[in-house]
Amino acid sequence: MIRCEGVTHVYQRGSPFEATALEDVSLEIGAGDVIGIIGATGSGKSTLVQHLNGLLRPTAGRVYLDDVDINAREVDRRRVRQQVGLLFQYPEHQLFEETVTADVGFGPRNLGLAPDEVRERTARALAQVGLDPAVFGPRSPFSLSNGEMRRVAIAGLLAMEPRMLILDEPTAGLDPASRREILDHIMRLRNARGLTIVLVSHSMDAVARLCRRVVVLDRGRVVAQGPTRDVFADPARLAALGLGVPQVAECARLLRERGVPVRPDVLTVEEARRAILDVLAGVAGRRPAPKKVP
Amino acid sequence: MSDLAPALIRVRGLFHTYEPGAGEPVPALRGVDLDVRRGECVALIGGNGSGKSTLAKHLNALLLPTAGEVIVDGLDTRDRDAVWAVRQRVGMIFEHPDDQLIAAVVEEDVAFGCENLGLPPAEIRSRVDEALRIVGLEALRRRPPHLLSGGQKQRVAIAGVLAMRPRCLVLDEATSMLDPAGQREVMETVLRLRRDEGLALVLITHSMEEAALADRVVVLAGGTVALSGTPAEVFARDDALRDLRLEAPPIVALARGLAAAGVALPAGLLTAPQLADAVAAAYRRGRGEA
């Protein structure tokens, strides 16, 4: 669906503050993919995702949406942004309308849609993030909890009916229940509507739980990309890049260090539980439970 | 709790009500009691809107009680003459490192608080040097703060607080904007300060993994203390945690899952190394080695 070819981005080119934020980045995101982008602070994650919906133009290289160069002169960038929705960090700071309904409807109104269509899309988008339009619609966005405000911001993107959603740290600053709710809604949307998801996050646990593929950035370059399980199977490398692995993967690594032959590539609590039980069942002389890779 | 070691911070019956310009008053704290002993590490957790940050701001007199009292090292925060002494004793580190750094180079930033205390220049010099050494940033002393990583910026903020010679550091979501390396860097720094300098720590966090490193976990909900105890005690209360919009760290959930499947593990495992040790011991027993 989206393809970056040799994308380089230089900020303040030709000035004493010139800084290369991205260097020769190539990657492909297929329709329906769920991709995680991880990297230390300053590795270029936010710069990269702003190229995916045409907010930034590459200094060199190209970005294609369905094989069309989105920075070509004749391409309508507003249409690109409608198809590729980008949720910035702390999006609740961008809520501004008097009611939730008005805020979520802002984008569709600007598309010039009929009021009925705007109303319908707004109600649908709110329902998709688990907020009852009748209850939350008339309320002021500023009377909501942080988690609810975050969901209103996501509904604002969904009301544009995008095909792809880019989420830059969507759960930062939220309590564990709100984190889980937001991630669950995102996955439900993906499954129900085939939405393509790009998740930028410092939470290795969230990336491990949601993403099928992971792209690792370091100082503006892609230094690893592949299936989530493969990327997280190299904890030493990730640590050197300022990153980590999910806690249960760290536990599996420590177990191997202690001579317990647990599978190193576990990603979730349930996988880790099964892997450890397999090994213990083996030494207890019982028949090990059948290995099942989810 | 021993009466022989009086609490460094004593919060009793604390109420706080925000009075917005328009609209209804908002009660944020409704009768909170809390003690923080010298050198103790207390994690303050709770759902969004539970009152954690409001409580934190009372610990160094950024907010004053609507009712009840906050006593810091014998000083009542409502006593106007004590405000600066309270703030010198309890330093705050906030979530956004960029909001806290103001000077053009690192060491000036670290000196800022001391200058406000009106200390003589030689004393400031030696305190700044010491603080930078403790957080391991001597080599970056002449750098402009905006060129540092997130973790380094938070360490600069910590050094600035340390130079005031506090008794307690309050970290309000101080790692939530940082990458995993930055998070480790800040947590290792503050835990070392607690060990080496005897500083008390109050960690306000949404990270259950960080809370698991504390001596005591206090859970706030709706402006009151809903649950408190050692991390092992609090994280064992799965149902209560769910009602409070929290959850146990993944390692605790994994240990519980293993125990439920019949693996003999000691209670109270909280961290990956603890669980790995316990499972390795079970493995060796299974092989007849132990």
Side-chain angles (χ1 to χ4, degrees):
Chain A
M1 177 176 175
I2 283 201
R3 197 167 80 245
C4 295
E5 280 184 9
V7 169
T8 294
H9 192 92
V10 182
Y11 283 112
Q12 307 198 44
R13 201 178 189 187
S15 84
F17 303 105
E18 180 172 307
T20 303
L22 290 178
E23 210 173 334
D24 196 21
V25 168
S26 296
L27 55 92
E28 218 169 307
I29 301 170
D33 254 347
V34 185
I35 293 211
I37 299 183
I38 61 176
T41 310
S43 59
K45 303 184 298 294
S46 294
T47 304
L48 173 59
V49 295
Q50 290 180 68
H51 281 82
L52 301 182
N53 78 341
L55 275 181
L56 288 176
R57 295 173 75 98
T59 311
R62 288 186 205 287
V63 179
Y64 298 95
L65 174 62
D66 298 332
D67 295 320
V68 176
D69 181 346
I70 63 170
N71 294 297
R73 196 181 302 258
E74 67 280 6
V75 170
D76 180 358
R77 235 89 55 207
R78 276 175 314 179
R79 256 189 64 76
V80 171
R81 274 168 225 152
Q82 181 258 308
Q83 294 192 52
V84 181
L86 171 58
L87 187 80
F88 285 98
Q89 288 179 29
Y90 294 90
E92 57 274 21
H93 297 168
Q94 293 164 46
L95 301 177
F96 62 97
E97 292 276 9
E98 281 181 21
T99 67
V100 166
T101 301
D103 218 299
V104 175
F106 179 77
R109 274 200 307 283
N110 275 1
L111 289 179
L113 298 173
D116 279 355
E117 170 78 9
V118 172
R119 245 193 315 277
E120 227 171 83
R121 282 194 181 198
T122 303
R124 198 162 45 216
L126 282 170
Q128 281 168 345
V129 295
L131 299 175
D132 182 345
V135 176
F136 285 90
R139 289 178 61 179
S140 159
F142 306 102
S143 70
L144 307 180
S145 74
N146 292 6
E148 288 162 352
M149 282 204 250
R150 198 73 57 93
R151 284 192 270 165
V152 168
I154 295 175
L157 289 178
L158 292 174
M160 303 293 280
E161 307 204 328
R163 295 159 58 207
M164 175 165 157
L165 218 47
I166 304 171
L167 306 154
D168 195 349
E169 294 286 1
T171 60
L174 298 184
D175 61 46
S178 304
R179 285 201 296 258
R180 192 168 283 275
E181 280 158 18
I182 286 202
L183 296 179
D184 286 351
H185 283 298
I186 291 168
M187 284 320 279
R188 220 168 290 143
L189 280 165
R190 187 213 154 254
N191 294 333
R193 293 186 35 191
L195 212 59
T196 307
I197 306 283
V198 176
L199 175 68
V200 178
S201 183
H202 284 321
S203 164
M204 302 296 125
D205 284 297
V207 169
R209 225 177 73 209
L210 254 59
C211 301
R212 297 169 167 188
R213 276 208 304 139
V214 176
V215 174
V216 187
L217 287 181
D218 180 42
R219 284 165 289 177
R221 289 175 167 276
V222 174
V223 292
Q225 62 174 318
T228 306
R229 201 176 293 287
D230 299 352
V231 170
F232 282 131
D234 193 352
R237 172 127 192 260
L238 288 172
L241 294 169
L243 301 170
V245 294
Q247 284 216 308
V248 293
E250 172 65 8
C251 189
R253 184 186 73 78
L254 292 171
L255 278 170
R256 292 178 69 82
E257 259 182 29
R258 288 158 173 71
V260 183
V262 175
R263 239 176 71 195
D265 59 349
V266 293
L267 293 178
T268 63
V269 169
E270 180 48 29
E271 282 180 21
R273 191 185 71 95
R274 233 180 287 152
I276 291 171
L277 289 178
D278 280 353
V279 172
L280 292 179
V283 294
R286 279 177 274 148
R287 233 163 64 93
K291 245 177 211 158
K292 190 175 148 206
V293 180
Chain B
M1 217 167 289
S2 161
D3 289 336
L4 297 174
L8 173 65
I9 299 177
R10 199 177 78 219
V11 177
R12 286 294 175 274
L14 177 62
F15 282 76
H16 189 89
T17 303
Y18 289 104
E19 305 272 358
E24 294 289 298
V26 185
L29 295 176
R30 296 189 282 194
V32 171
D33 293 339
L34 174 75
D35 281 316
V36 180
R37 279 166 283 169
R38 289 169 203 280
E40 187 185 24
C41 177
V42 177
L44 214 51
I45 62 177
N48 291 114
S50 60
K52 305 184 298 292
S53 291
T54 301
L55 177 54
K57 292 191 182 89
H58 277 274
L59 302 183
N60 78 340
L62 285 176
L63 291 176
L64 297 177
T66 305
E69 62 176 21
V70 178
I71 308 293
V72 174
D73 207 8
L75 302 163
D76 189 326
T77 60
R78 289 169 303 184
D79 175 359
R80 282 177 192 208
D81 297 329
V83 167
W84 291 106
V86 167
R87 293 199 183 144
Q88 177 262 313
R89 283 168 173 74
V90 179
M92 297 271 290
I93 309 291
F94 294 100
E95 176 177 7
H96 295 270
D98 295 315
D99 296 351
Q100 303 170 68
L101 304 181
I102 39 179
V105 299
V106 164
E107 62 180 4
E108 280 172 27
D109 212 297
V110 174
F112 181 79
C114 285
E115 284 164 0
N116 280 356
L117 289 180
L119 297 171
E123 173 70 13
I124 295 177
R125 176 83 264 162
S126 84
R127 286 190 180 197
V128 168
D129 290 347
E130 187 192 3
L132 284 169
R133 182 181 53 72
I134 291 173
V135 301
L137 287 177
E138 295 141 298
L140 303 179
R141 59 191 316 145
R142 304 265 179 212
R143 289 278 182 90
H146 71 272
L147 293 183
L148 305 180
S149 72
Q152 288 168 339
K153 284 178 191 169
Q154 287 298 51
R155 278 152 68 203
V156 171
I158 292 169
V161 168
L162 282 183
M164 317 258 292
R165 304 260 163 93
R167 312 274 157 83
C168 177
L169 277 187
V170 178
L171 293 103
D172 190 355
E173 292 281 348
T175 63
S176 72
M177 297 289 285
L178 305 179
D179 57 38
Q183 291 170 13
R184 285 194 293 268
E185 186 180 327
V186 168
M187 286 309 295
E188 278 164 17
T189 302
V190 297
L191 290 172
R192 184 161 45 78
L193 285 169
R194 171 175 170 246
R195 197 186 59 225
D196 297 349
E197 321 279 326
L199 268 183
L201 299 175
V202 177
L203 307 174
I204 293 160
T205 184
H206 283 313
S207 160
M208 301 300 113
E209 296 91 289
E210 279 179 19
L213 301 173
D215 302 317
R216 203 148 55 84
V217 176
V218 174
V219 185
L220 285 188
T224 61
V225 174
L227 206 58
S228 82
T230 63
E233 287 163 1
V234 168
F235 289 131
R237 305 279 305 274
D238 215 21
D239 293 341
L241 288 173
R242 198 168 312 120
D243 292 343
L244 297 164
R245 304 189 60 77
L246 302 171
E247 63 190 18
I251 293 299
V252 174
L254 176 54
R256 192 180 299 141
L258 291 170
V263 181
L265 295 174
L269 300 172
L270 294 166
T271 64
Q274 288 169 2
L275 180 57
D277 284 340
V279 170
Y283 177 74
R284 284 193 301 271
R285 280 199 304 275
R287 285 170 58 123
E289 289 172 17

